[in-house]
Amino acid sequence: MSARPDLVACWLFRLDVAGRPEILLIRRAPGRMYPGLWQCVTGKLEAGERIADGALREVAEETGLHGPDLEAFFETDMVNWFHEASLDALLCEAVFAARVGPDAEVVFSNEHDDARWLAPEAAKAIVTWPAYERAIDFVQWLLANPGKAEAFRIPNPE
């Protein structure tokens, strides 16, 4: 059986000048569902769109980062299913991660009103859902296991 997700998520990370990982969190703007929530890049998958392409499109739309800004793009073994009460539905989200160059500049969309690069533990302290904490742990695993991480790498992010 195969399933098509409703949503895509992409956790952006980089290494600071000392080589320590930082996670990008963006804050949902007022007037949107979950205003003030710190999150990764997320969005709806468009009809007919390849899943990984949808994640990259959302990254570009929500952060202005694309192509040369992304040093590596990874699928994960994470798929989140959750109940969304406002829709009275179960939604499925495919989760990705991307390493961003140290000089890449984030320009967030009107969907968000702030962005922060945080150490993993600081990021985990302000995210709401346990699935977000697990995704941050996965990013740390990617960095700690570069040989194994290659199995998750999607070539040529564009």
Side-chain angles (χ1 to χ4, degrees):
M1 176 181 117
S2 65
R4 186 161 172 81
D6 306 287
L7 305 166
V8 289
C10 191
W11 289 87
L12 300 175
F13 64 96
R14 68 180 183 189
L15 299 177
D16 69 11
V17 293
R20 294 177 302 237
E22 294 180 317
I23 306 291
L24 179 68
L25 293 181
I26 49 182
R27 187 175 63 196
R28 292 179 71 90
R32 301 192 64 226
M33 182 184 290
Y34 305 116
L37 180 90
W38 287 98
Q39 66 177 154
C40 66
V41 169
T42 61
K44 292 180 183 173
L45 191 60
E46 295 180 355
E49 186 174 40
R50 294 184 55 83
I51 299 167
D53 291 343
L56 292 171
R57 175 187 50 75
E58 286 292 340
V59 166
E61 288 176 5
E62 294 186 8
T63 68
L65 301 173
H66 64 284
D69 299 317
L70 306 178
E71 294 179 340
F73 182 54
F74 301 93
E75 57 189 341
T76 73
D77 59 0
M78 301 177 69
V79 175
N80 298 322
W81 283 94
F82 59 95
H83 174 254
E84 177 49 57
S86 67
L87 301 173
D88 189 31
L90 285 176
L91 299 179
C92 179
E93 175 184 69
V95 182
F96 296 85
R99 187 177 66 233
V100 175
D103 298 326
E105 202 169 313
V106 174
V107 179
F108 50 88
S109 72
N110 62 357
E111 296 179 26
H112 300 92
D113 64 1
D114 198 4
R116 295 181 188 169
W117 288 101
L118 298 170
E121 291 306 314
K124 286 168 59 174
I126 66 170
V127 296
T128 300
W129 293 303
Y132 281 11
E133 292 183 34
R134 289 190 298 272
I136 293 167
D137 287 340
F138 189 88
V139 167
Q140 290 180 284
W141 180 89
L142 288 171
L143 290 166
N145 297 281
K148 292 179 181 179
E150 281 303 308
F152 291 91
R153 190 172 181 153
I154 300 172
N156 302 324
E158 296 192 22

